[in-house]
Amino acid sequence: MANIKSAKKRVLVNRTKAARNKSIRSAVKTSIKKVEAAVDKKDKAAAEAALKDAISTISKATSKGVYHKNNCARKVSRLTRAVNSIG
């Protein structure tokens, strides 16, 4: 552990931010898995509902700075394309 007061604070702040980012990333991954599961079952209604939730979750993660905007756009695009391929 660091000896300087400001360095100690940085360590604590970084741990807090890392835990927050990990939680947000986990939520995004879970929502993506729900969409993919619905697509695998060919359940259009469930897939569209899960897609709406996933887009919201991914957008929130992007607005908080966890993901880059292009990464967000890519994830949303792939999920949308997967859902649209069901029908």
Side-chain angles (χ1 to χ4, degrees), residues 73-84:
R74 186 179 68 243
K75 288 179 185 296
V76 169
S77 175
R78 286 179 179 172
L79 289 175
T80 305
R81 197 171 60 209
V83 171
N84 289 341

Side-chain angles (χ1 to χ4, degrees), residues 6-78:
S6 62
K8 288 180 182 178
K9 181 180 177 183
R10 283 289 105 216
V11 169
L12 295 175
V13 169
N14 286 339
R15 281 186 191 155
T16 304
K17 287 184 176 183
R20 176 177 157 267
N21 290 345
K22 187 174 182 179
S23 170
I24 293 170
R25 279 197 185 98
S26 176
V28 168
K29 288 179 188 176
T30 302
S31 64
I32 288 173
K33 285 178 186 173
K34 286 179 182 176
V35 174
E36 290 172 346
V39 169
D40 288 341
K41 291 179 182 174
K42 305 234 185 276
D43 186 354
K44 181 90 170 172
E48 287 176 345
L51 176 65
K52 185 177 178 185
D53 180 54
I55 289 173
S56 172
T57 308
I58 293 168
S59 297
K60 284 178 188 172
T62 303
S63 69
K64 292 175 191 292
V66 178
Y67 286 118
H68 189 273
K69 65 178 185 171
N70 289 354
N71 190 345
C72 167
R74 186 179 68 243
K75 288 179 185 296
V76 169
S77 175
R78 286 179 179 172

